[in-house]
Amino acid sequence: MMVTTKDIAEHLKLSVSTVGRALADDARISEQTKVRVRQAASELGYVGNRAARMMRGASSNVVGLVIPDVRNSFYSTIAHELSAIMAAEEYQLMLAETFDDRLIERRHLRELSASHAAGLIIAPTPNPHVDSANLLRGMPHVQLLRRHASLGAQWFGLDDQRALQDATAHLLELGHKRIAYIGASKELPTGQERLEGYQQALHAQGIPLTSDFIELGPPASPEHAKEALRRLLNRPTPPTALVLGSVQHTVGVLDAALDMDLEVPEELSVVGFGDQSGFSWWGRGLTTISLPIGDVATSCGLWFIRRLTSPPAGNDPYESVSAGWLVPRGSTAAPRAEKHKRSA
């Protein structure tokens, strides 16, 4: 049976109204009575009826986190950091996965809105439903990593374009000219920006752009990356280097390279995306772009808490962009022809 304020009142021989006011920290109730009521509530296992308070118009202490796929290390890191921040401020983080399906995203937003969630942090799907945009207009929210113009102008993210530009430039400096790219679809703003970074680095060095060396697909699919790698290596003139634009694509390529007994970097130099713990000891160590995901999540969480506790007068745009950095390891080297030239 659920314990109610009436049970606490009978236990302490107080009125139900006195118990209710004590639990609400009403100034009309003495501190001694408040302590007695709280102790009894704890002993009896009382849980406040949040649903009743919400029916009276109060918001809950729930903050929604809507992300595409928690298996992605970026999003699991974000969930961990935000959970700790919200708990410290007595908010409860509620996780929802969309799998990049706009209808699932809309359903989650409807449920969070109906439950009077205090606010919402979202990495949106590529093309959010118009209903999702309408729902978010009535709820404090901020976009994280990904962004879509229809969902507002508050965003915390990464300099994706610069990250891929640096990764590609590293391979160019080693002497590679046939550099392939496996990344997310251009439907995602992050996918478009990463592709542009790769293309800009090639353009700056006068390297012709070719669609034969570009493979785009679902960012959460290691299988896409495995198949893309096989297609690239079966080209009449295969690439000598590869740069990746998502964590799961990096995982897929590393698995495929092992399955194919591909010699890295002798046959193919590889630059990954993100820096999971296993990347440092894969083969001779994976050269990769490390990204401050934990710091971005922390900054976003602290900013959002301030927004919830001290709501702004307006809804002014806000952006926070963090940069990644290249971590050189053993998966990249000069192409074979360049090595032979230098040796000679």
Side-chain angles (χ1 to χ4, degrees):
M1 296 291 292
M2 182 178 291
V3 176
T4 66
T5 53
K6 182 179 179 181
D7 297 322
I8 298 172
E10 291 176 354
H11 179 74
L12 295 177
K13 295 182 171 48
L14 295 171
S15 69
V16 174
S17 61
T18 297
V19 169
R21 288 169 181 162
L23 290 171
D25 201 23
D26 193 308
R28 292 173 290 181
I29 306 299
S30 70
E31 286 301 318
Q32 182 180 10
T33 300
K34 290 178 184 177
V35 169
R36 287 181 63 214
V37 169
R38 290 168 186 157
Q39 185 175 352
S42 177
E43 292 172 354
L44 296 173
Y46 171 78
V47 177
N49 190 342
R50 191 173 301 279
R53 292 200 296 274
M54 289 189 291
M55 287 177 66
R56 295 194 293 269
S59 65
S60 74
N61 70 335
V62 168
V63 171
L65 174 61
V66 180
I67 57 176
D69 187 351
V70 76
R71 295 171 300 178
N72 183 321
S73 63
F74 281 11
Y75 294 119
S76 58
T77 297
I78 285 169
H80 176 78
E81 297 294 334
L82 288 177
S83 180
I85 290 168
M86 296 303 158
E89 299 296 329
E90 298 186 352
Y91 285 94
Q92 176 68 47
L93 191 71
M94 180 176 289
L95 176 67
E97 290 182 284
T98 65
F99 311 106
D100 273 331
D101 186 319
R102 68 201 294 254
L103 298 182
I104 294 176
E105 179 179 63
R106 180 180 65 174
R107 175 165 56 82
H108 287 318
L109 296 182
R110 281 177 171 171
E111 291 297 328
L112 287 163
S113 178
S115 64
H116 294 265
L120 188 137
I121 299 170
I122 182 170
T125 55
N127 185 28
H129 197 283
V130 64
D131 291 349
S132 297
N134 293 334
L135 286 164
L136 286 176
R137 288 193 188 99
M139 184 189 310
H141 68 281
V142 61
Q143 298 182 76
L144 182 56
L145 292 194
R146 298 178 179 182
R147 58 178 164 176
H148 194 279
S150 70
L151 303 187
Q154 290 78 39
W155 172 72
F156 283 75
L158 301 166
D159 191 343
D160 287 297
Q161 184 173 306
R162 185 69 194 183
L164 267 294
Q165 197 169 350
D166 289 347
T168 309
H170 169 69
L171 295 169
L172 290 165
E173 289 167 4
L174 290 172
H176 292 277
K177 298 187 185 304
R178 301 198 308 274
I179 302 172
Y181 173 67
I182 299 176
S185 165
K186 290 188 287 185
E187 289 183 343
L188 286 168
T190 50
Q192 177 66 37
E193 289 165 10
R194 293 169 194 173
L195 176 62
E196 287 176 359
Y198 158 80
Q199 292 174 327
Q200 286 175 5
L202 295 178
H203 180 74
Q205 295 298 315
I207 306 295
L209 300 175
T210 170
S211 59
D212 287 347
F213 280 176
I214 296 174
E215 293 278 354
L216 305 179
S221 172
E223 291 73 24
H224 163 73
K226 291 178 182 180
E227 295 167 4
L229 177 63
R230 291 188 174 92
R231 286 193 294 270
L232 289 167
L233 295 179
N234 285 328
R235 303 275 189 233
T237 305
T240 62
L242 172 66
V243 61
L244 295 153
S246 91
V247 174
Q248 292 301 317
H249 288 169
T250 302
V251 170
V253 163
L254 298 187
D255 285 347
L258 291 174
D259 292 342
M260 300 163 66
D261 291 325
L262 184 67
E263 293 183 12
V264 175
E266 288 79 8
E267 294 181 272
L268 184 73
S269 283
V270 177
V271 180
F273 190 81
D275 197 12
Q276 295 187 162
S277 57
F279 288 177
S280 62
W281 47 261
W282 184 90
R284 301 172 201 172
L286 178 69
T287 297
T288 192
I289 292 289
S290 184
L291 298 154
I293 298 300
D295 292 343
V296 173
T298 298
S299 298
C300 179
L302 294 174
W303 179 89
F304 197 56
I305 288 291
R306 288 196 299 273
R307 179 175 171 80
L308 293 177
T309 54
S310 303
N315 200 25
D316 295 334
Y318 184 90
E319 281 192 6
S320 175
V321 184
S322 299
W325 58 93
L326 183 74
V327 182
R329 297 193 182 110
S331 68
T332 52
R336 278 181 169 172
E338 185 68 17
K339 285 182 191 174
H340 294 161
K341 186 194 302 182
R342 289 176 182 173
S343 296

